[in-house]
Amino acid sequence: AFPLCLALGMMVVFNRVLSPATVARFLGHGAGAKGVLLSSLAGVVSMGPVYAWYPLFKTLKEKGASDFHLANFIGSRSVKPVLLPVLIASFGWRFAIVFVLANLAGALIVAYIVHVACSGKDKA
């Protein structure tokens, strides 16, 4: 019951504090390193199936969020803090740290590829 209440509490706080316009401002084209950090962190702590996030992604895209940050968010979802203790217990600290950093680096690489591919689409 505690994890469910924690997740519900986080959702209520995020819905009260963050609007799509505010998030889009932080994830816009000129967000820089802060936007990358925010999209990575949001992807790591996000819960639920990815298809449930698609309507929010559409709204953020319409409000000015960049393809890079949205793709980074989706790619960063592969790191789950809830599963880190199992990963550490099974494989050790060193493997867990390398695994998480490799996943986050991979998310950034894929986000860059998506950004390049989608920026060419807008010019055509």
Side-chain angles (χ1 to χ4, degrees), residues 26-92:
F26 288 121
L27 299 179
H29 295 282
K34 188 184 342 179
V36 172
L37 184 64
L38 179 65
S39 64
S40 296
L41 185 63
V44 168
V45 299
S46 67
M47 298 177 239
V50 71
Y51 61 82
W53 289 89
Y54 290 160
L56 176 66
F57 293 152
K58 180 181 178 191
T59 304
L60 292 175
K61 181 77 172 147
E62 290 169 353
K63 300 251 186 222
S66 71
D67 294 324
F68 177 85
H69 293 102
L70 295 178
N72 186 37
F73 178 95
I74 294 171
S76 297
R77 286 178 48 87
S78 63
V79 176
K80 290 293 158 213
V82 175
L83 298 177
L84 283 178
V86 176
L87 184 66
I88 292 167
S90 299
F91 301 105

Side-chain angles (χ1 to χ4, degrees), residues 85-110:
V86 176
L87 184 66
I88 292 167
S90 299
F91 301 105
W93 279 98
R94 205 173 333 169
F95 179 85
I97 290 170
V98 170
F99 183 78
V100 168
L101 292 177
N103 274 310
L104 292 175
L108 289 172
I109 292 168
V110 169

